[in-house]
Amino acid sequence: MISTSNVTYRVGKKALFEDVNIKFSEGNCYGLIGANGAGKSTFLKILSGQLEPSSGEVVVSSGERLSFLQQDHFKYDAYPVLDTVILGNARLYEIMKEKEALYAKEDFTDEDGIRASELEAEFGAMDGWEAESDAASLLNGLGVETELHTSMMKDLPGSQKVKVLLAQALFGNPDILLLDEPTNHLDLDAIAWLEEFLIGFNNTVIVVSHDRYFLNKVCTQIADIDYGKIQLYAGNYDFWYESSQLLIRQMKEANKKKEEKIKELQEFISRFSANASKSRQATSRKRALEKIQLEEIRPSSRKYPYIDFKPDREIGNEVLTVEGLSKTIDGVKVLDDISFTLNREDKAAFVGGNEFAKTVLFQILMGEMAPDTGTYHWGVTTSQAYFPKDNSREFTNEDTIVEWLTQYSEIKDVTFVRGFLGRMLFSGEDGVKKVKVLSGGEKVRCMLSKLMISGANVLLLDEPTDHLDMEAITALNNGLKKFPGVLLFASRDHQIVETTANRIMEIMPGGKMIDKITTYDEYLANDEMARKRQTYTMKEEDN
């Protein structure tokens, strides 16, 4: 168990949270939620001991081991992958290295033998003989191939480093597990594996995530940071949302009834306070009026942008024809003879772990890269707008936000442009901020403004939820569901894929593509059944 006693954390004069008293108990998975800047990551760092609170203390039950997801992706560059995972249990790793050093000594003494015996006993008690196989199992589950387990961390790409660090946090059955955005940079298969791992995890988990489906799947309770306080709610994210909205509605309804009663009392007092025969009744109503207290309904720190993609023209029957597209990069076949036709009703989600292939395909379709072989043809009624995975080149100039967006608008009126920015929560002085100093989330909101102002009837989006908070992701999800045009998109957000797509495309390793007219959950269910059939067949063949 882990708890806080009157924890306060201040940045300058501002308190992110104040006098927080909360208890996280064994057997529960807590989703820590709140608006950007509410202090979610800061609170996790305080719980893990990486940050000292301004006042108050964190209490961890005696003898319990706490593990957290490291955010420094370069911290273990000098270590092999497998060692990095085992370092999740620092004491176990220390024993392993001390044992190795002892047994490597040429002058092994009786004292060394006694020490080795002590270490072996402690090693066995910690299931040390299973450490390497357990670490390898975690890595494989997250999609880190076996041949990479002996590689040095410095030689891994960033996406694989993230998976290794996540495996490190999960390693060794920690009593308390703290995870800050564990699904970032994970493909949907790895996220599904992590969901099942956490569902079966019997200790305490506290997780920060912007993935609503993930929170719904794994969380038993929600810890909501708002107004500088942390409030616990039983249930998952959807249950929290419904409960919190219901509470606000109930408070508003109660206030409405109280306001009606106040008005009634005030009218009576005003009419009869000077009337001698009614003065006693007027005095009684004054006392009743003084006792009525309206519920304080503070505005939430959460802000929802308004995302609405409206095409300037209706799309025709011919949308996109792709025939035999192939692309090899650095000797690796990324796309292999890809062919498909998009129709005017299609919302196509590109899923699976081959993220680079999706990006390459989108770049080819937008004319940013040429295929080695094959052709593609857009229908004459189509207009395309593109959300690239890497948007950094868009924001290197000295433009203000208003100037930047105006260049993409047919209507050059500042008020018109500011209207789109206002929907994306850029108001007032925000419009004169330089685009080169924007945060990752602000850049994404600018890119979404660009897509809205384009009036395109075909949208290509490559991981548009990166850097967005929960509120913006919800708004984007709603905007995509309402969009009447054609969608081609890649997203790690399960809920967006499930609620938006009617067609699933998966580019496999080697560049071949599976194309199914189905929902995402149906696709996953069929894929799972296929894997079970394959496993059963292999067992039959072995027998």
Side-chain angles (χ1 to χ4, degrees):
M1 186 186 75
I2 184 170
S3 61
T4 66
S5 176
N6 296 317
V7 164
T8 296
Y9 188 79
R10 297 183 179 277
V11 180
K13 293 182 179 180
K14 179 187 177 184
L16 274 182
F17 31 80
E18 200 161 15
D19 295 329
V20 172
N21 294 284
I22 193 168
K23 183 186 295 183
F24 300 101
S25 57
E26 183 181 0
N28 283 307
C29 179
Y30 298 86
L32 185 62
I33 65 172
N36 272 4
K40 301 183 294 293
S41 295
T42 299
F43 188 69
L44 278 193
K45 288 178 181 177
I46 289 172
L47 292 179
S48 67
Q50 298 174 83
L51 271 181
E52 287 291 326
S54 303
S55 60
E57 63 176 344
V58 175
V59 180
V60 177
S61 297
S62 177
E64 293 198 341
R65 184 170 72 86
L66 183 148
S67 179
F68 60 90
L69 176 58
Q70 294 280 355
Q71 300 297 316
D72 182 356
H73 297 172
F74 305 100
K75 183 174 181 178
Y76 299 95
D77 275 2
Y79 292 88
V81 167
L82 212 57
D83 281 23
T84 301
V85 176
I86 298 172
L87 271 162
N89 188 334
R91 177 56 188 158
L92 178 61
Y93 187 78
E94 183 182 311
I95 292 170
M96 290 175 62
K97 291 305 171 184
E98 188 175 349
K99 279 175 51 187
E100 289 176 11
L102 279 174
Y103 292 138
K105 291 178 68 173
E106 294 183 2
D107 54 341
F108 193 80
T109 65
D110 290 343
E111 289 79 6
D112 291 333
I114 294 170
R115 178 58 180 161
S117 178
E118 293 171 347
L119 291 172
E120 291 290 5
E122 189 176 356
F123 187 69
M126 299 176 74
D127 293 328
W129 298 110
E130 307 297 326
E132 290 194 358
S133 62
D134 288 348
S137 178
L138 290 170
L139 290 167
N140 289 333
L142 288 166
V144 181
E145 301 296 335
T146 303
E147 55 265 26
L148 295 177
H149 294 185
T150 54
S151 301
M152 299 299 291
M153 283 290 284
K154 65 181 175 64
D155 296 326
L156 295 188
S159 60
Q160 296 286 49
K161 281 186 177 181
V162 170
K163 292 181 178 181
V164 176
L165 294 177
L166 179 55
Q168 180 193 79
L170 304 178
F171 176 76
N173 196 37
D175 301 291
I176 300 161
L177 179 58
L178 309 179
L179 300 174
D180 191 357
E181 296 293 356
T183 62
N184 277 3
H185 307 293
L186 294 188
D187 56 70
L188 289 166
D189 288 338
I191 293 173
W193 180 91
L194 178 60
E195 288 167 357
E196 294 305 316
F197 180 94
L198 293 179
I199 289 169
F201 189 76
N202 294 321
N203 298 333
T204 305
V205 182
I206 307 171
V207 58
V208 171
S209 177
H210 289 145
D211 189 327
R212 299 155 299 159
Y213 182 90
F214 177 77
L215 292 177
N216 280 330
K217 196 83 182 283
V218 305
C219 291
T220 59
Q221 297 202 43
I222 295 294
D224 179 32
I225 302 182
D226 210 353
Y227 320 117
K229 302 292 182 183
I230 303 180
Q231 178 72 41
L232 279 181
Y233 294 81
N236 61 15
Y237 178 80
D238 279 352
F239 190 83
W240 160 82
Y241 183 79
E242 293 300 328
S243 299
S244 60
Q245 295 301 305
L246 176 62
L247 179 61
I248 291 172
R249 288 197 297 270
Q250 289 174 336
M251 291 171 67
K252 287 181 176 179
E253 189 63 32
N255 276 354
K256 183 179 179 182
K257 290 179 180 179
K258 288 177 181 178
E259 286 168 351
E260 290 172 354
K261 185 64 176 177
I262 288 170
K263 184 178 179 182
E264 177 187 324
L265 292 172
Q266 286 174 336
E267 287 177 350
F268 185 93
I269 293 166
S270 176
R271 286 177 62 192
F272 299 111
S273 59
N275 187 320
S277 64
K278 297 281 189 178
S279 62
R280 182 175 295 179
Q281 294 179 31
T283 301
S284 174
R285 281 166 171 73
K286 281 182 181 178
R287 294 196 194 101
L289 181 61
E290 289 169 357
K291 291 179 181 178
I292 298 177
Q293 297 291 326
L294 294 177
E295 296 283 352
E296 183 184 13
I297 305 176
R298 300 174 62 183
S300 174
S301 56
R302 292 178 171 84
K303 294 182 179 180
Y304 290 84
Y306 179 72
I307 298 177
D308 189 19
F309 304 107
K310 290 184 177 179
D312 288 339
R313 64 183 296 187
E314 187 176 349
I315 201 164
N317 291 325
E318 293 185 12
V319 180
L320 173 65
T321 302
V322 175
E323 295 183 354
L325 282 190
S326 294
K327 185 69 179 180
T328 298
I329 297 177
D330 296 330
V332 177
K333 195 80 165 181
V334 180
L335 302 175
D336 185 8
D337 196 27
I338 300 293
S339 297
F340 61 90
T341 300
L342 278 187
N343 302 308
R344 61 184 298 176
E345 303 295 332
D346 282 343
K347 306 286 191 293
F350 289 79
V351 303
N354 197 350
E355 295 192 13
F356 182 56
K358 305 170 201 173
T359 298
V360 168
L361 177 60
F362 286 174
Q363 289 176 337
I364 289 173
L365 295 179
M366 291 304 297
E368 295 184 358
M369 182 183 295
D372 295 335
T373 59
T375 61
Y376 65 93
H377 174 71
W378 289 104
V380 294
T381 63
T382 65
S383 55
Q384 303 86 38
Y386 177 42
F387 184 106
K389 191 170 187 176
D390 179 8
N391 58 41
S392 56
R393 63 183 180 183
E394 288 269 2
F395 301 100
T396 57
N397 55 53
E398 295 292 328
D399 286 350
T400 65
I401 297 177
V402 170
E403 291 168 343
W404 179 86
L405 187 58
T406 299
Q407 68 181 310
Y408 298 111
S409 174
E410 287 190 10
I411 301 173
K412 302 302 181 182
D413 179 68
V414 172
T415 303
F416 176 79
V417 172
R418 280 187 176 273
F420 283 89
L421 292 173
R423 296 178 194 176
M424 298 307 296
L425 308 181
F426 295 109
S427 58
E429 294 301 312
D430 287 336
V432 297
K433 286 176 69 172
K434 300 283 189 181
V435 294
K436 66 179 183 181
V437 302
L438 297 179
S439 68
E442 288 174 325
K443 289 176 181 176
V444 171
R445 285 190 278 126
C446 279
M447 292 298 297
L448 293 173
S449 299
K450 175 184 172 183
L451 263 62
M452 284 195 291
I453 211 168
S454 72
N457 54 26
V458 180
L459 301 180
L460 293 86
L461 303 99
D462 194 357
E463 300 297 348
T465 63
D466 285 355
H467 305 293
L468 290 182
D469 59 20
M470 195 89 75
E471 293 70 41
I473 291 172
T474 300
L476 174 61
N477 197 170
N478 292 335
L480 292 178
K481 286 192 293 185
K482 291 189 302 180
F483 179 58
V486 170
L487 283 177
L488 297 86
F489 70 100
S491 176
R492 302 183 201 93
D493 190 296
H494 186 119
Q495 191 161 333
I496 284 182
V497 177
E498 170 59 22
T499 59
T500 304
N502 57 21
R503 185 170 178 176
I504 303 297
M505 297 180 172
E506 181 173 3
I507 304 176
M508 309 298 290
K512 293 291 186 182
M513 191 172 77
I514 299 172
D515 183 2
K516 299 286 185 183
I517 306 296
T518 182
T519 67
Y520 186 53
D521 282 348
E522 289 170 348
Y523 181 81
L524 290 179
N526 291 332
D527 190 43
E528 181 66 23
M529 289 176 63
R531 281 199 294 267
K532 287 179 179 178
R533 284 196 298 270
Q534 184 179 19
T535 302
Y536 179 79
T537 302
M538 290 171 66
K539 286 180 179 178
E540 287 290 303
E541 290 174 351
D542 289 341
N543 292 333

